[in-house]
Amino acid sequence: MIGVRGLTKRYGGVTAVTGLTFDVAPGVVTAFLGSNGAGKSTTLRMLLGLDRPTAGTARINGSHYAQLRDPLRTVGSLLDSSAPHPGRTARAHLRWLAASNRLPGRRIDEVLDTVDLTAVADRRVRGFSLGMRQRLGLAAALLGDPAVLLLDEPVNGLDAEGIRWLRTSLRRLAAEGRTVLVSSHLMSEVEQTADHVLVIDRGRLLADTPLPDFLAEHSAPGTDHRSLEDAFLALTTGAGR
Amino acid sequence: MIAALHAEWVKATTLRSTWVCLAGFAVAVTGISAAVVGAIGDLQAAEPDYDAGLLAFYGLNFGHVAVIVVAVLLTAGEYGRQTVHDALVAVPRRGVFLVSKVAVGAALVLATATVTALVSAVVTQALLGPAGVGLSELARPTVAAALYPTLLAVLCMGVAMVMRDQTGALGLLVPFFFLVSPLARAGAGAAAPRGVPPRPRRPGRRPAARPPDRLLRPGHRAHRAGPVGRGGTARRLVGAAPQGRLVAPISVPTAGAHGRMAA
């Protein structure tokens, strides 16, 4: 369960997000939609305690992130797949993460198997493709078997097989009762995965509704079906109104 | 805290650069010390104010660059990429994270430097044969040769964490410890004005700060002593003045006292 109340972040004179208030419920896949620079990553960074809010609160299960004991057991996150040190092997990257949160060593093999990186686990990250790095980032997010998942653009760099795997994984993780928040700007992908959408534009929350309602609400009169892309653009640019 | 220490240990020991730097330090210190002692050790040992601790750890003047590099790689190396985000998400308490990182870095350097100092002491004194002094007489300089790289590593990790930039931190620290700091110390000694009594090298000892012209006079002892002799160019470059004690590995307090006894 994620709870955001009046969340505002300013960098100098630039306001990144302002007055965000929303909850993310467990058991469904929630998509966090917005254009580049809309404030998605800033919001996720504040949820993870990497940025201090100018005002408001961002809590996970009622706690600030920094108050969580062994936080990887509660929250799994993928922010930037270029983060793992290029000189370390995939297994070593997961080993230090596991050590930092007292996770059992067998979880390393389990998540490597889950993301299909077992064969390259002892290769240095330097030689990994974007898709392999993305899989490693997902493995790191799943390492602590967390009840809450925060994934920033997880589809980036994945191949067709990887995208399908991610889609089924997210649906399964949500069905297990976890809270899943996935930011994306790839509308067609979100349309196939998400149950609920949060739309953010220029730092403000524009929508917080189930996906079917969102599509219906922003459909042009007289059409039965409209893509999420059309609905999103209609809302954020006002062009379709 | 134990989990954070464990994580930092895994991080430091799973990077090849850590081992390369630590091995480079050990090889440079023992190798250069042994080479210098092998080349001019017997001449130096015959000098009346021979300093056994100075010569036995001469390689520290070069090996300490490896310590600076490993300290920067372990800290600023994490900020250069977004690796630090992973670290702060895994260990959100900043104090615990930073203390663990510095503790692990210092422990790795201390372990390496202790072994290196002992090997240097044993090898160099063995090379000197009868002119060599016993390990017990080199105890204080040996301890200092193990502690100096450790404290240097802590200082460099601190600076690198503030700068958060690998290239910038190396660009600042390497020239500082290799060039600026020894030159400043040498300059401070040489610049002592005539008429003002120069500061004694060690309490109760005769002044060390000789005017530069005396150093250059042909036939002066400094010339006979070669580049690393008392007052020799290299000795001046690596810092023998008393204000250098805190950072200069080779001007270990009381090392001279043992050396004098041996000589």
Side-chain angles (χ1 to χ4, degrees), chain B residues 40-200:
Chain B
I40 57 162
D42 47 348
L43 290 174
Q44 288 291 298
E47 291 285 331
D49 47 4
Y50 163 65
D51 183 338
L54 160 65
L55 223 51
F57 304 112
Y58 195 76
L60 270 180
N61 294 301
F62 305 91
H64 70 187
V65 175
V67 170
I68 298 170
V69 173
V70 75
V72 169
L73 289 180
L74 285 178
T75 48
E78 204 166 54
Y79 284 93
R81 308 165 192 95
Q82 301 305 312
T83 314
V84 72
H85 287 169
D86 278 351
L88 293 176
V89 165
V91 184
R93 284 182 297 168
R94 276 28 171 193
V96 171
F97 167 64
L98 294 176
V99 168
S100 307
K101 183 170 278 301
V102 172
V104 166
L108 279 168
V109 173
L110 178 63
T112 311
T114 303
V115 174
T116 305
L118 285 170
V119 172
S120 280
V122 170
V123 168
T124 53
Q125 299 318 299
L127 279 171
L128 282 172
V133 299
L135 264 191
S136 57
E137 286 185 66
L138 271 181
R140 285 191 66 165
T142 306
V143 169
L147 289 181
Y148 160 72
T150 311
L151 296 175
L152 176 67
V154 172
L155 177 67
C156 291
M157 285 189 277
V159 170
M161 279 175 173
V162 171
M163 292 187 69
R164 298 184 175 191
D165 178 64
Q166 205 164 297
T167 319
L170 283 175
L172 178 76
L173 289 166
V174 172
F176 182 79
F177 282 103
F178 224 134
L179 294 171
V180 180
S181 169
L183 282 176
R185 272 181 268 131
R194 285 159 204 249
V196 177
R199 267 173 291 179

Side-chain angles (χ1 to χ4, degrees), chain A residues 11-190:
Chain A
Y11 296 100
V14 182
T15 302
V17 297
T18 181
L20 291 188
T21 297
F22 61 84
D23 287 325
V24 182
V28 292
V29 176
T30 303
F32 197 21
L33 304 179
S35 325
N36 296 325
K40 304 188 296 288
S41 295
T42 303
T43 306
L44 294 178
R45 287 165 53 83
M46 284 190 280
L47 273 166
L48 291 169
L50 292 173
D51 262 340
R52 201 184 297 267
T54 308
T57 57
R59 292 169 190 263
I60 291 169
N61 293 342
S63 304
H64 288 292
Y65 187 85
Q67 294 166 344
L68 297 172
R69 187 173 166 78
D70 292 336
L72 300 187
R73 291 172 184 268
T74 308
V75 184
S77 59
L78 169 67
L79 275 192
D80 182 351
S81 62
S82 69
H85 195 294
R88 226 172 252 132
T89 64
R91 190 187 301 281
H93 177 67
L94 296 173
R95 257 180 66 210
W96 79 256
L97 282 169
S100 70
N101 279 248
R102 287 172 284 198
L103 304 172
R106 63 173 166 77
R107 282 297 297 161
I108 296 169
D109 293 320
E110 287 172 15
V111 295
L112 279 170
D113 188 51
T114 305
V115 302
D116 202 16
L117 280 182
T118 306
V120 294
D122 295 310
R123 292 225 316 249
R124 284 171 208 283
V125 174
R126 181 174 289 119
F128 278 22
S129 67
L130 180 57
M132 286 158 86
R133 283 168 205 249
Q134 204 72 24
R135 285 164 187 267
L136 179 59
L138 289 163
L142 296 171
L143 193 61
D145 197 17
V148 177
L149 278 161
L150 301 176
L151 307 176
D152 196 8
E153 308 280 1
V155 185
N156 280 2
L158 291 180
D159 54 18
E161 190 193 350
I163 291 174
R164 174 168 289 180
W165 167 80
L166 181 70
R167 194 186 299 146
T168 50
S169 298
L170 292 177
R171 299 217 58 83
R172 178 175 51 78
L173 290 162
E176 288 168 6
R178 299 174 210 258
T179 304
V180 182
L181 180 61
V182 185
S183 89
S184 187
H185 56 248
L186 299 174
M187 300 303 151
S188 54
E189 183 49 42
V190 166

